[in-house]
Amino acid sequence: MDARQLEYFLAIVDHDGFGRAAQALHLAQPSLSQAIAGLEREVGMQLFHRIGRRVVLSDAGTELIGPARQVLRDLRTAKTAMASMKGVRHGRVELVTMPSPGIEPLSTLIGAFTRRHPGITVDAEAAFTPDEVIHQVRQGACELGLAGAPEPLHPPGVDVLPLQQQDFVLVGAADAAFPVGDPLPIGALAGVELIASPPGSLMRRVVDDILAEHADVRIVAEIAHRASILPLVLQGGGMAVLPAAWASLARRSGARAVRLDHPARLHVELLSRQAQLTPAAEAFLALARTFRPAGGGAEQLG
């Protein structure tokens, strides 16, 4: 078994098949098939079941994913450590983030990190629930994960660094008839038209509390993709309840954002694998430990 075989195996897993994996690896498909056949002989078990033109992971293949990722990551760690001994600072931080933490604090963290470590690339994948972030970190698909949840997370097998608690804000176009108050009481939101996320998120839970308070509040659009909500607000499509991470961006875009007087808080935490991290990920985690929310919604890095 060698690293090249494991790299090919993971490419098939990540690209959902031999054909797309061969394209991503710039490799002829027969060569890829031959390499995997050799790996299966090495381990003495089938890693994939061939069903027509499709392949499905076997139980043995599923068990190999985590160790294979760790082996390749350990090799990168060794190469990076040796390069650092020669004065070369480079590498890659592999993290996964939910949408709102992906606005803040990720922007602040990446900005500070790339200034300190200009030779290191941050590779941020997308996830939409805390469970997705936990799964990707625990399985080794990413070393770090930014999650936002209604309560602090305590997942087994994963280390958790609390970063901040975000309030919720009401965001509206600059020329919209805005309710009066700062913070805005829920009772002041009579008659507003809201752009909302689908049921299931903490954001939607706040919207549902507003709906329960006011019979004349109406959802004019239900948008699953968070990145589409603010542009729709700016077009005058309605107001939106968003985590405070979006407030600065909303104001810079010309919208108004006022904190809601509501008990809900988004707990933002940085998750990390309990296995040895690469030097790049260790450096990112060390920087995150200096992150401190300051007054007025700004963030500080010591």
Side-chain angles (χ1 to χ4, degrees):
M1 188 186 304
D2 61 36
R4 178 183 58 87
Q5 291 172 313
L6 295 178
E7 180 186 0
Y8 291 177
F9 165 72
L10 290 174
I12 296 166
V13 172
D14 293 338
H15 294 281
D16 196 27
F18 279 73
R20 285 188 286 268
Q23 290 177 357
L25 293 166
H26 304 290
L27 188 70
Q29 188 168 332
S31 298
L32 177 59
S33 298
Q34 189 175 20
I36 295 302
L39 178 57
E40 289 178 325
R41 285 194 299 271
E42 289 280 348
V43 300
M45 287 177 285
Q46 270 194 306
L47 301 175
F48 299 97
H49 297 303
R50 280 72 173 175
I51 303 175
R53 300 182 64 182
R54 295 179 59 245
V55 292
V56 178
L57 272 169
S58 67
D59 290 343
T62 301
E63 288 297 318
L64 183 59
I65 292 174
R69 292 195 194 281
Q70 187 61 48
V71 167
L72 294 182
R73 188 167 283 123
D74 287 345
L75 284 173
R76 290 197 298 272
T77 299
K79 289 177 181 177
T80 302
M82 293 301 99
S84 297
M85 293 295 291
K86 297 186 289 186
V88 179
R89 306 284 179 181
H90 62 83
R92 180 178 294 271
V93 178
E94 297 172 340
L95 64 84
V96 58
T97 181
M98 291 174 61
S100 293
I103 300 295
E104 281 295 347
L106 184 62
S107 295
T108 296
L109 290 170
I110 289 181
F113 184 78
T114 53
R115 287 191 294 271
R116 294 188 188 184
H117 305 281
I120 297 178
T121 300
V122 179
D123 183 359
E125 298 289 335
F128 297 95
T129 67
D131 284 345
E132 288 180 50
V133 175
I134 293 167
H135 177 77
Q136 292 209 47
V137 172
R138 187 182 285 143
Q139 294 298 315
C142 294
E143 293 189 273
L144 305 174
L146 268 175
E151 303 293 339
L153 297 172
H154 303 286
V158 175
D159 290 330
V160 178
L161 174 66
L163 293 178
Q164 63 179 174
Q165 295 180 35
Q166 294 182 11
D167 296 322
F168 283 82
V169 296
L170 183 70
V171 179
D175 58 355
F178 223 81
V180 177
D182 188 3
L184 278 171
I186 297 299
L189 302 185
V192 300
E193 294 186 331
L194 292 174
I195 301 161
S197 60
S201 69
L202 180 58
M203 218 162 68
R204 178 55 182 263
R205 210 179 302 171
V206 178
V207 169
D208 288 341
D209 286 347
I210 298 171
L211 293 172
E213 182 85 11
H214 300 285
D216 57 351
V217 170
R218 187 168 70 94
I219 294 178
V220 295
E222 194 171 89
I223 308 295
H225 203 305
R226 305 283 174 82
S228 300
I229 294 178
L230 181 56
L232 188 54
V233 169
L234 294 170
Q235 291 292 329
M239 297 186 181
V241 173
L242 292 169
W246 295 84
S248 178
L249 178 61
R251 291 172 184 135
R252 290 199 302 270
S253 301
R256 291 185 63 187
V258 180
R259 183 168 68 89
L260 287 171
D261 186 7
H262 191 281
R265 298 291 182 273
L266 188 70
H267 294 257
V268 178
E269 297 166 323
L270 182 63
L271 280 56
S272 57
R273 300 191 68 218
Q274 292 184 339
Q276 182 178 1
L277 300 177
T278 61
E282 286 281 11
F284 194 93
L285 185 58
L287 176 73
R289 290 193 181 102
T290 72
F291 178 89
R292 296 290 182 274
E299 286 81 26
Q300 297 176 336
L301 289 162

